[in-house]
Amino acid sequence: RRAPPSQARRAEVVFKLMDGYLKNDSVSLQKAILDHVEFTVARSRFSFDDFEAYQALSHSVRDRLIERWHDTHQYVKRKDPKRVYFLSLEFLMGRSLSNSIINLGIKDQCVEALSQLGFELEVLAEQEGDAALGNGGLARLSACIMDSLATLDFPAWGYGLRYQYGLFRQVILDGFQHEQPDYWLNFGNPWEIERVHISYPVKFYGTVEEEIVDGKKFKIWVPGETVEAVAYDNPIPGYGTRNTINLRLWAAKPSDQYDMESFNTGDYINAVINRQKAETISSVLYPDDRSYQGKELRLKQQYFFVSASLQDIVRRFKDLHTNFQEFPDKVALQLNDTHPSLMIAELMRVLVDEEHLDWNEAWGIVGKAFSFTTHIVVLEGLEKIPVDLLGSLLPRHLQIIYDINFLFVEDLKKRFGSDYDRLSRMSIVEEGPVKNVRMANLSIVSSHTVNGVSQVHSQILKTKVFKDFYELWPEKFQHKTNGVTQRRWIVGSNPGLCGLITKWLGTEAWIRNVDLLLGLRQHAANPELQEEWRMIRRVNKKRLADYIEAMSGVKVCIDAMFDVQVKRIHEYKRQLLNVLSIIHRYDCIKNMKKGDRRKVVSRVCLIGGKAAPGYEIAKKIIKLVHVVAEKINNDPDIGDLLKLVFIPDYNVSVAELVVPGSDLSQHISTAGHEASGTSSMKFLMNGCLLLATADGSTLEIIEEIGEDNLFVFGAKLHEVPSLRDKARDFEVPRQFARVVRMVREGYFGFGDYFESLCDSIEGNGGDFYLLGNDFMSYLEAQAAADKTFVDQERWTQMSILSAAGSGRFSTDRTVGEYAEKTWGITPCKCP
Ligand code: CR1
């Protein structure tokens, strides 16, 4: 074989052939699209449909992303700054085409290139399926954070899992939720790059033995099973910058060493089938966003993710460094909730068992590398792993966790003596009939910082959930209020509003510097802006109304107030409270004299969201929405005064349609239960008014835009415990009792089926989420919203002030704070 050409010789050839970067004018794009139709999609240039055009366009865009992505890598590698690794088991990316085109700044050119070929960008964008590799808030936050990290030029990587099945599709049959698999890769995914050469073995099971190296004893883990983790890279472009970072997702493949034994028995076919089982590790996303307790496959996913990511990170570090003391100067490891927290034990194992550092040295490095964010408010939500399960799957890690805990508890004893209650609360290992590892305790003990996702959430962590830890290490506790990216949530999903904002601010700079939105405040009362603002909102409402009609058959009037609650279905989020108030509204209209109906403000109530497949009560709430909707929408007496529609299969791209088209959006969790909430921020940015409880990030929204500019109601955080204590003496308001009775007694049908649902808010000692308690103040807030809606000038002013005050809720601000206060990284802008 001939020797490969030298690097220099190759570079000469490459430069001769290249006439620079790919060009972004419309003719070059057109040529690229046609080339991809012919050679990538393998259809004829002279005949291809919308989907094929989408594929070809996507590949043309992807080529441009890859150039920038290569440049960014090379540049960052040369500069070798400290990088942050954002570790998350979930990323809810949604669609990529429009977002990439916007961030690359080539939208106009693409529109032009396509129009001559007879295609429309908007139509092609609809061809793309959502990448739904996550459940809800936590996962969408990860996606928004990636956009901001790229835009702000931070040297950052995202790591996650490439599930073959994303979050289930919600199909409604006869008003009931059914789950269908989301095999999202069926038609290929142009946004990922398979890196067959980047793969790592990941080990499971086996035993721990000892080896002696240079006279010293070391532990060595002899695995029972090995699978291969293969990298799939997803370039994430920044807006208004060349920087394009990487989201690396791992897929499981059988390893050459996987189960060789079964081949020796001669049953070749079954041995192959067995091997294939390795792939199940990354095959499906767990659809329950709050409990995974005790599932072996889930634990396998976590470790698979952790092990592959850390091998990759360590390899990158070792490319340029030999001394592990420098590791924390180059690497910040961000734990997105406890899901990736096994990486703590894994890093200890790598440093001690493989790199042969001594324990204390390794522990010092771990403590400087990790930071931990929790997204949970209630103690019961925290993740625990049964010791038995952990010990069998990851024997060495269990030993390490025990050792970390032993040293930690010894330390505690020195400080707190024999305060055994405290020690047992703080211990990483929970004693009891089933011994568990408390992943949050492990994360706090091992990280240099811990934070909640809103001000009040962080306060609750300090005073309740992690009180003991706060008393021990007050300096570790920080707060970082969540955000959302205005690139997707205004520029992408609401182009009309984007243009209007730019016109009135006289600059596009707000797309990178969102604080500039404050400049809208001074125009909020300007009738000219108000008029244009309303026009744009109307166009969005029309688009949403068309969608509603297409999917539900219900025709809605766009003069009505579009009142929306879209999010995962949970008792604490209180969709049930919303439905009950809709029943109340219906009941009131029915009992009104005909003449009084003229005063009623028409409403279109939209509710959407998925229920975890095993969450009975949540599923009943979905059914209730449907039966109530059926009754109201078909009541000729009601007409356009009230409509109720369930939006099925709520996901990122549905949100992009719903958010810009709604007038009022509801965020009505019982105070103290929503860690932050992020959809409220999207609605706010789009000039939608909020109807909300004083919970999570709403408190900061109130601070920012003023209480007069949204509708707030309900029990306050400090009142909740005593209200619960006094629940038995609470006299349920007549109106509340009446609507619950209507449900119970079968006014909408299915009375028996809804009995347990009614019991959950009325039964003995029930109503934990205080629906009855908040009902009257909720109705008052609803009435206030009605009253304001009639005064369109006032409403529009509030709408403008909402958008103007939304700058603080951009992930650009969130990420900037993490970079400075938690990760210690600075921008590294690719020239
Ligand atoms: C919280 O419930 C928060 C997001 C993002 C959620 C929500 O209030 O806005 O995280 N938690 O921080 C979650 O999804 C699995 O936990």
Side-chain angles (χ1 to χ4, degrees), residues 137-138 141 289-290 337 375-376 453 482 572 674-678:
L138 169 150
L141 178 72
D289 52 350
R290 279 181 176 62
D337 219 291
H375 300 260
I376 302 270
V453 288
N482 286 163
Y572 85 83
E674 192 68 272
S676 160
T678 45

Side-chain angles (χ1 to χ4, degrees), residues 570-588:
H570 267 286
E571 284 160 281
Y572 85 83
K573 293 183 190 276
R574 299 201 294 188
Q575 283 91 353
L576 183 53
L577 180 63
N578 188 358
V579 183
L580 293 175
S581 92
I582 294 168
I583 296 176
H584 174 78
R585 181 176 286 263
Y586 173 63
D587 192 38
C588 288

Side-chain angles (χ1 to χ4, degrees), residues 211-230:
E211 65 174 355
I212 300 197
V213 180
D214 298 337
K216 276 209 214 151
K217 271 197 208 154
F218 292 98
K219 293 272 199 282
I220 173 165
W221 174 24
V222 183
E225 180 183 303
T226 304
V227 299
E228 208 62 25
V230 179

Side-chain angles (χ1 to χ4, degrees), residues 487-495 540 543 655-657 660 686:
R487 265 81 59 185
R488 182 172 293 259
W489 297 106
I490 305 181
V491 184
S493 59
N494 200 345
N540 295 336
R543 192 167 60 135
E656 287 173 33
L657 200 83
N686 282 274

